[in-house]
């Protein structure tokens, strides 16, 4: 397999040649933000939504956006041209750059570090996805700035590790008795044929897949509610889903010691995954 080409600070280069200073604030403090944008064929899924969220994340951490939307898109095209493939994702991150002194204070005039690479994404296998995932609920101890797609992910790493120690693939996070999201995904529950997800807030990431699922549900006359979900509602939910750019829509079949619904991917999931695959197919065909 040929070597991946990445983008770093204005140049495209083989990944083995890309390096960043140990004084980069991304390395020292996790002082940066990132995005993951799925690509189907050569088409980017919801690129405007990802660029809008990137702009918001940058603004929240007081870092200027280095490029206009048109410049970002041109760079994405160039990166994809350097890395031929079918289904992929673009990972990009911007850190506050290198400063000679290790100091939390933001110094003016530092050049940000801009990095991009493609990620290999296994095409979603519906037979595997349909089997569902097992999860546990864990107390969400993260900060009140989870709406920022920050590279400071140690809390998410710890939570995922706790889930692994329970022998399951992910956790459903609970803050003060209310459901927030997964460790790298948003959550939906289904109750009486209505799809329910918590509202955006400082306690969860405004997922692009979440928005798309809500939009597709509304377009297809599936009833939706955006409202807080009490942790106690999980026990009686007919279905529970986790959504993200890479996982798409994963049905949760077990939560703690209890099966969810019938213990299999539910009927609304089947309906929605077909709508979602159709949407992707249309995107791929332009
Ligand atoms: C904490 C968290 N919530 C939600 C999501 C889902 O966001 P998206 O649908 O934009 O991938 C992610 C994605 O990585 C995430 O890390």
């Amino acid at each position: 397999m040929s070597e991946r080409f990445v983008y770093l600070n204005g140049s495209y280069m083989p990944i083995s040649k890309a390096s960043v200073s140990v004084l980069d604030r991304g390395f020292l403090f996790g002082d940066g933000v990132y995005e993951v944008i799925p690509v189907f064929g050569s088409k980017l899924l919801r690129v405007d939504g990802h660029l809008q969220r990137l702009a918001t994340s940058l603004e929240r951490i007081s870092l200027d956006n280095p490029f206009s939307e048109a410049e970002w898109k041109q760079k994405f095209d160039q990166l994809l041209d350097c890395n031929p493939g079918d289904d992929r994702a673009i990972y990009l991150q911007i850190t506050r750059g290198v400063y000679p002194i290790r100091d939390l204070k933001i110094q003016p005039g530092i050049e940000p570090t801009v990095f991009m690479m493609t990620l290999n994404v296994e095409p979603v296998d519906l037979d595997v996805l349909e089997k569902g995932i097992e999860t546990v609920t864990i107390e969400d101890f993260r900060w009140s700035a989870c709406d920022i797609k920050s590279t400071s992910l140690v809390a998410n790493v710890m939570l995922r590790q706790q889930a692994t120690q329970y022998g399951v693939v992910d956790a459903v996070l609970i803050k003060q008795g209310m459901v927030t999201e997964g460790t790298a995904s948003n959550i939906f529950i289904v109750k009486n044929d209505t799809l329910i997800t918590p509202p955006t807030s400082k306690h969860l990431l405004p997922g692009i897949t979440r928005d798309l699922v809500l939009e597709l549900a509304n377009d297809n006359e599936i009833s939706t509610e955006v409202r807080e979900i009490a942790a106690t509602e999980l026990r009686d939910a007919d279905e529970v889903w986790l959504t993200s750019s890479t996982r798409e829509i994963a049905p949760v079949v077990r939560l703690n010691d209890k099966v969810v619904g019938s213990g299999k991917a539910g009927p609304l999931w089947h309906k929605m995954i077909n709508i979602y695959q159709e949407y992707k197919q249309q995107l791929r065909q332009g």
Side-chain angles (χ1 to χ4, degrees):
M1 207 170 107
S2 57
E3 197 175 355
R4 233 185 319 171
F5 266 68
V6 302
Y7 171 95
L8 181 62
N9 297 331
S11 306
Y12 295 86
M13 61 190 81
I15 194 162
S16 58
K17 297 276 182 295
S19 62
V20 176
S21 165
V22 291
L23 289 174
D24 193 281
R25 292 175 59 109
F27 179 64
L28 292 176
F29 304 132
D31 184 3
V33 298
Y34 75 106
E35 276 297 326
V36 179
I37 310 172
V39 181
F40 299 108
S42 56
K43 305 289 188 335
L44 280 73
L45 183 79
R46 296 267 144 156
V47 63
D48 292 337
H50 282 280
L51 286 174
Q52 182 54 56
R53 184 172 65 186
L54 177 67
T56 307
S57 293
L58 286 167
E59 200 181 316
R60 294 267 285 128
I61 69 162
S62 308
L63 189 53
D64 288 340
N65 197 333
F67 304 123
S68 67
E69 286 203 1
E71 287 167 333
W72 276 117
K73 287 178 184 172
Q74 188 254 331
K75 287 178 186 345
F76 297 157
D77 286 345
Q78 227 169 323
L79 182 72
L80 293 175
D81 285 348
C82 296
N83 295 281
D86 191 15
D87 290 1
R88 294 159 282 170
I90 292 176
Y91 173 89
L92 74 89
Q93 81 166 47
I94 307 162
T95 74
R96 209 179 301 274
V98 178
Y99 192 71
I101 299 161
R102 186 191 174 280
D103 183 2
L104 287 180
K105 182 167 183 281
I106 298 176
Q107 305 288 346
I110 313 181
E111 278 294 304
T113 300
V114 183
F115 173 66
M116 280 195 276
M117 64 180 166
T118 52
L119 303 176
N120 291 329
V121 175
E122 288 295 315
V124 167
D125 180 338
L126 288 185
D127 293 336
V128 174
L129 197 60
E130 189 183 13
K131 293 202 166 65
I133 56 171
E134 301 194 341
T135 61
V136 287
T137 49
I138 298 182
E139 182 63 28
D140 188 352
F141 59 77
R142 297 173 305 161
W143 62 345
S144 299
C146 291
D147 56 319
I148 304 172
K149 199 159 171 66
S150 162
T151 56
S152 315
L153 284 171
V154 69
N156 302 59
V157 170
M158 290 166 68
L159 290 162
R160 177 67 68 87
Q161 180 58 12
Q162 280 186 40
T164 305
Q165 282 165 350
Y166 282 113
V168 296
V169 298
D170 209 343
V172 170
L173 305 178
I174 309 293
K175 198 171 210 99
Q176 290 164 354
M178 305 311 262
V179 178
T180 56
E181 58 181 348
T183 61
S185 51
N186 292 109
I187 189 161
F188 286 84
I189 66 167
V190 176
K191 188 69 194 168
N192 300 332
D193 296 324
T194 296
L195 191 53
I196 309 166
T197 195
T200 53
S201 73
K202 300 280 157 72
H203 300 306
L204 56 97
L205 189 77
I208 305 300
T209 320
R210 170 190 177 278
D211 285 355
L212 181 55
V213 166
L214 280 174
E215 197 180 300
L216 294 174
N218 290 329
D219 289 350
N220 287 276
E221 280 148 30
I222 296 170
S223 147
T224 60
E225 267 179 41
V226 176
R227 63 155 173 86
E228 298 293 350
I229 300 172
T232 48
E233 289 181 75
L234 290 169
R235 291 188 75 80
D236 299 323
D238 300 328
E239 299 182 33
V240 176
W241 310 342
L242 292 179
T243 65
S244 76
S245 292
T246 48
R247 187 173 261 163
E248 301 197 339
I249 308 170
V252 174
V253 293
R254 176 173 276 274
L255 193 63
N256 301 327
D257 54 358
K258 196 175 169 295
V259 292
V260 175
S262 63
K264 290 203 217 113
L268 205 57
W269 178 83
H270 279 97
K271 184 167 180 185
M272 182 51 80
I273 202 71
N274 286 332
I275 296 169
Y276 196 83
Q277 298 309 316
E278 174 81 7
Y279 178 87
K280 270 169 48 182
Q281 197 53 26
Q282 281 177 8
L283 176 76
R284 211 184 250 117
Q285 288 164 354

